[in-house]
Amino acid sequence: MHDDLISRAKAWLAEDPDQETREELAKLIDAGDVTELSARFSGTLQFGTAGLRGELGAGPMRMNRSVVIRAAAGLAAYLKENEPSQGDRGAGLVVIGYDARHKSADFARDTAAVMTGAGLRAAVLPRPLPTPVLAFAIRHLGAVAGVEVTASHNPPRDNGYKVYLGDGSQIVPPADAEIAAEIDAIASLNDVPRPESGWETLDDAVLNAYLARTDAVLAPGSPRTARTVYTAIHGVGKDVLLAAFARAGFPEPVLVAEQADPDPDFPTVAFPNPEEPGAMDLSFAQARATDPDLVIANDPDADRCAVAVRDGADWRMLRGDEVGALLAAHLVRRGATGVFAESIVSSSLLGRIAEKAGLPYEETLTGFKWIARVDGLRYGYEEALGYCVDPEGVRDKDGITAALLITELASVLKEENRTLLDLLDDLAVEHGLHATDQLSVRVQDLSLIADAMRRLREQPPTELAGLPITRAEDLTQGTDTLPPTDGLRYTLDGARVIVRPSGTEPKLKCYLEVVVPVADHTALPATHARATQLLATIKRDLSAAAGI
């Protein structure tokens, strides 16, 4: 076992094109560090519908240039098999974007080299830019595929590789398995041609086209008066968001200076995710000092948008479900037509809003790879701060255009001497208070997640918080409207719970919703208290049932 491990590590080392990871791996081999080598050579990072994501480092279980080159070569082989050439324009175009994380630019350049070596055309965005710019560029340039090098809101030590096909939306089965099979078929990196040149580095024309497209998000002549505090959380959102806000005529956002510029080490936050405790502290401090109408945050690749509002004496983050409902209500008021869609883990309030407006509504599996594929989509959202407000422009979540639309709504309400919270109250009275929460458990040992799912399947709860479970569904079987996925859904009398492993992080995620009728505005405080107590009790009982 030891000799086999060392020989596999040496074989990997011999092909590794990156001096940094070569030195790292050589030290582990010289030290005979079996524990660390075993962790890195226990398998390979699995390519799936989220592409690749993992910790940077040497070896097949880490994100590094060797892994990325194999992934790019597998994708190129898949594209040559499945995507026709583009006639007069020759071979299919693959457009490549990247964020400001460690190694992102290297991974983007390697991908361009592999595509060029495979006889495809490659074009790389001019610098680190938001993921939605890449998603836009695929359709704008008529590409057959796109790659975004990003780990989104993961910890600083991670990076990732997200793949889109020519429709501008992320891959779904069976494309993921077919690409994975092509990756597995690559015997050696020496078999992958990687010329030193031959691809195009794009100029700002694509970015300018993306910014021009943001005009379509806002209503002509709408109020543009809301004042904002903005943080990029050390990511790539700032310049594009400021340009979009200036173009729209909004007041210039006040920046959280400590987090405004890209920094792959994310020095001011434990996790660069606006949902994580502490991530918004600097934003709230800036808001207390400047008293804006709302606070906006993007995650590091700016495909998510977080919103915070003054609530009493201080500031609080709105839940993704609250922002999702607000944007939906705003679009309905503007006369939007088309399908409203969300994933199954998001609040059922969207369905109530769509039904009342006479609009079609659909539920999908988790992830924008599914939401973006809904026929006739006009608006889609997911509770994890993802909003697709202009599917004709970007068929993915987009934190820039979502920020524009929520600021337009805040401006409309400001003209009426109202706030986002006032509109949320109106929605609760009209449709019932839809209160949501999440039980999220981060683990070091992934077997704990499998154990929790097995326990719930073998010993399913019959009630939570005293509410009987009226329907229990194992989503691995699929449903009439959903393909199979690893998840459990419980329908209760006035509540809903979904349990699933995260697709991108070592987390077990449980999504809770309670729906409490509201008699009128005066009943709201008591209704909120009731909903909060119900959610806390469901969370406690579910935690006990899952053993987490």
Side-chain angles (χ1 to χ4, degrees):
M1 173 64 183
H2 175 269
D3 289 346
D4 175 61
L5 179 64
I6 295 296
S7 66
R8 281 189 290 132
K10 285 182 175 177
W12 184 274
L13 177 65
E15 288 189 351
D16 191 337
D18 189 317
Q19 169 116 14
E20 194 175 327
T21 45
R22 277 203 311 274
E23 291 174 359
E24 179 186 318
L25 186 53
K27 286 179 182 174
L28 293 174
I29 294 170
D30 291 346
D33 191 337
V34 173
T35 302
E36 188 62 28
L37 288 170
S38 296
R40 291 161 184 254
F41 286 85
S42 59
T44 59
L45 276 186
Q46 291 303 298
F47 185 93
T49 52
L52 291 168
R53 202 175 288 190
E55 186 176 346
L56 291 164
M61 287 295 287
R62 298 287 185 268
M63 280 296 295
N64 51 63
R65 291 182 60 198
S66 297
V67 164
V68 164
I69 290 165
R70 287 174 182 275
L75 174 60
Y78 169 86
L79 293 173
K80 293 185 77 173
E81 182 75 23
N82 291 277
E83 297 291 339
S85 71
Q86 298 189 302
D88 294 342
R89 290 185 291 171
L93 172 68
V94 180
V95 60
I96 302 152
Y98 58 103
D99 67 12
R101 284 177 178 264
H102 293 295
K103 299 285 185 182
S104 287
D106 294 340
F107 296 166
R109 189 168 54 250
D110 282 330
T111 300
V114 170
M115 295 301 160
T116 303
L120 295 159
R121 292 182 296 134
V124 184
L125 292 182
R127 58 186 171 281
L129 286 167
T131 293
V133 176
L134 180 277
F136 168 84
I138 295 164
R139 299 179 72 210
H140 179 70
L141 296 173
V144 297
V147 172
E148 176 71 17
V149 180
T150 181
S152 189
H153 57 279
N154 275 38
R157 63 181 180 275
D158 289 3
N159 213 327
Y161 199 80
K162 186 184 290 190
V163 176
Y164 299 76
L165 292 181
D167 62 356
S169 51
Q170 297 173 49
I171 54 168
V172 293
D176 57 339
E178 293 170 8
I179 295 169
E182 296 284 5
I183 295 170
D184 291 343
I186 295 157
S188 167
L189 288 193
N190 297 325
D191 300 334
V192 181
R194 284 176 287 139
E196 293 292 317
S197 61
W199 58 90
E200 179 184 1
T201 299
L202 297 167
D203 59 20
D204 276 353
V206 166
L207 175 59
N208 292 336
Y210 168 84
L211 288 168
R213 176 68 206 181
T214 64
D215 295 350
V217 173
L218 303 176
S222 63
R224 313 279 169 95
T225 56
R227 296 180 303 106
T228 55
V229 160
Y230 172 72
T231 178
I233 311 189
H234 304 294
V236 298
K238 180 194 70 174
D239 290 345
V240 179
L241 182 130
L242 289 180
F245 269 55
R247 183 182 182 93
F250 287 115
E252 184 176 353
V254 175
L255 299 178
V256 178
E258 302 94 326
Q259 299 175 332
D261 294 319
D263 187 331
D265 294 320
F266 304 103
T268 68
V269 292
F271 290 96
N273 178 352
E275 294 180 294
E276 293 281 352
M280 297 290 287
D281 287 356
L282 289 170
S283 301
F284 293 164
Q286 183 66 272
R288 292 183 200 109
T290 56
D291 195 29
D293 296 300
L294 70 166
V295 174
I296 289 171
N298 287 138
D299 67 337
D301 69 327
D303 63 352
R304 288 174 168 83
C305 177
V307 180
V309 295
R310 180 180 289 284
D311 188 3
D314 209 351
W315 289 78
R316 77 164 174 95
M317 273 267 291
L318 294 178
R319 291 191 168 277
D321 284 317
E322 292 177 309
V323 176
L326 288 167
L327 293 176
H330 182 45
L331 289 171
V332 165
R333 182 176 174 178
R334 275 181 29 183
T337 58
V339 181
F340 280 31
E342 64 181 339
S343 65
I344 57 172
V345 300
S346 305
S347 170
S348 58
L349 177 55
L350 183 68
R352 304 271 184 101
I353 292 170
E355 182 182 18
K356 180 80 179 288
L359 293 172
Y361 163 78
E362 283 196 31
E363 267 191 335
T364 74
L365 291 184
T366 309
F368 269 82
K369 56 185 176 283
W370 299 108
I371 295 170
R373 283 185 156 72
V374 169
D375 284 343
L377 181 68
R378 174 58 185 87
Y379 168 66
Y381 98 91
E382 190 157 73
E383 56 74 44
L385 311 183
Y387 314 95
C388 177
V389 302
D390 177 29
E392 288 303 306
V394 175
R395 289 195 181 169
D396 198 5
K397 55 186 177 292
D398 182 346
I400 305 296
T401 51
L404 288 170
L405 192 62
I406 197 71
T407 308
E408 178 185 63
L409 173 56
S411 299
V412 170
L413 292 168
K414 186 177 182 179
E415 298 287 299
E416 300 168 355
N417 202 28
R418 284 157 44 81
T419 68
L420 297 176
L421 293 181
D422 292 329
L423 180 52
L424 284 173
D425 286 348
D426 291 350
L427 292 172
V429 172
E430 185 175 2
H431 302 289
L433 176 62
H434 290 62
T436 57
D437 200 357
Q438 193 179 124
L439 172 63
S440 182
V441 182
R442 187 182 292 271
V443 300
Q444 296 291 328
D445 181 357
L446 289 175
S447 69
L448 296 175
I449 294 176
D451 290 346
M453 295 297 288
R454 185 173 62 250
R455 183 194 299 250
L456 288 170
R457 287 189 169 105
E458 292 174 355
Q459 300 172 301
T462 57
E463 65 172 36
L464 295 168
L467 301 174
I469 292 176
T470 57
R471 188 178 183 193
E473 299 168 276
D474 187 340
L475 298 176
T476 52
Q477 309 303 311
T479 72
D480 292 345
T481 57
L482 298 171
T485 189
D486 185 8
L488 299 164
R489 178 163 62 180
Y490 302 116
T491 304
L492 297 85
D493 186 10
R496 183 217 65 199
V497 172
I498 293 174
V499 184
R500 59 178 281 272
S502 169
T504 55
E505 297 177 272
K507 283 182 174 181
L508 182 69
K509 303 182 94 168
C510 311
Y511 305 85
L512 323 175
E513 179 179 39
V514 299
V515 183
V516 186
V518 185
D520 54 35
H521 281 79
T522 63
L524 277 167
T527 309
H528 277 286
R530 168 70 176 150
T532 299
Q533 181 252 326
L534 269 176
L535 286 169
T537 311
I538 291 173
K539 191 183 287 191
R540 182 198 69 200
D541 292 353
L542 181 63
S543 182
I548 54 177

